[in-house]
């Protein structure tokens, strides 16, 4: 794939919540899994990546507590399937700190 343009919160704000657009498994067809991410900044701005159109948006994550913001992340990746259908990114956790 290719990188999209960066999306950033306004100065002095932090990311506080996110959601993923995920395509459900398609059986024999090509699965794509996570295709886009959206995030909310502490001031309420919504950032949305330019990912693929496949899938449905999930629920927003619980927001970081007041005064805190995202300071770390963890990804869930599917390992190479050796001839099977590879999906790549399957899930995302963001961690809050103040």
């Amino acid at each position: 794939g290719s990188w999209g343009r960066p999306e950033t919160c306004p100065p002095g704000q932090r990311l506080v919540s996110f959601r993923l657009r995920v395509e459900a498994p398609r059986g024999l067809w090509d699965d794509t899994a996570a295709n886009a991410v959206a995030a909310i900044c502490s001031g309420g701005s919504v950032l949305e990546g330019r990912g693929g159109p496949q899938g449905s948006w999930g629920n927003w994550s619980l927001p970081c507590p007041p005064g805190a913001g995202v300071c770390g992340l963890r990804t869930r990746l599917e390992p190479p399937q050796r001839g099977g259908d590879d999906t790549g990114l399957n899930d995302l956790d963001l961690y809050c700190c103040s």
Side-chain angles (χ1 to χ4, degrees), residues 24-51:
R26 300 183 57 200
L28 297 176
W29 300 98
D30 185 29
D31 294 325
T32 60
N35 289 300
V37 64
I40 298 177
C41 301
S42 53
S45 300
V46 176
L47 309 177
E48 188 174 311
R50 305 284 187 255

Side-chain angles (χ1 to χ4, degrees), residues 46-66:
V46 176
L47 309 177
E48 188 174 311
R50 305 284 187 255
Q54 298 88 349
S56 302
W57 286 107
N59 295 326
W60 288 100
S61 66
L62 293 175
C64 293

Side-chain angles (χ1 to χ4, degrees), residues 57-85:
W57 286 107
N59 295 326
W60 288 100
S61 66
L62 293 175
C64 293
V70 173
C71 60
L73 63 92
R74 175 176 71 160
T75 58
R76 183 183 320 197
L77 305 174
E78 180 183 56
Q81 298 299 296
R82 300 184 190 253
D85 186 14

Side-chain angles (χ1 to χ4, degrees), residues 2-22:
S2 58
W3 289 102
R5 68 179 169 87
E7 300 283 343
T8 59
C9 289
Q13 296 184 25
R14 306 182 202 189
L15 291 180
V16 296
S17 184
F18 81 100
R19 66 181 182 165
L20 290 175
R21 182 167 48 213
V22 178

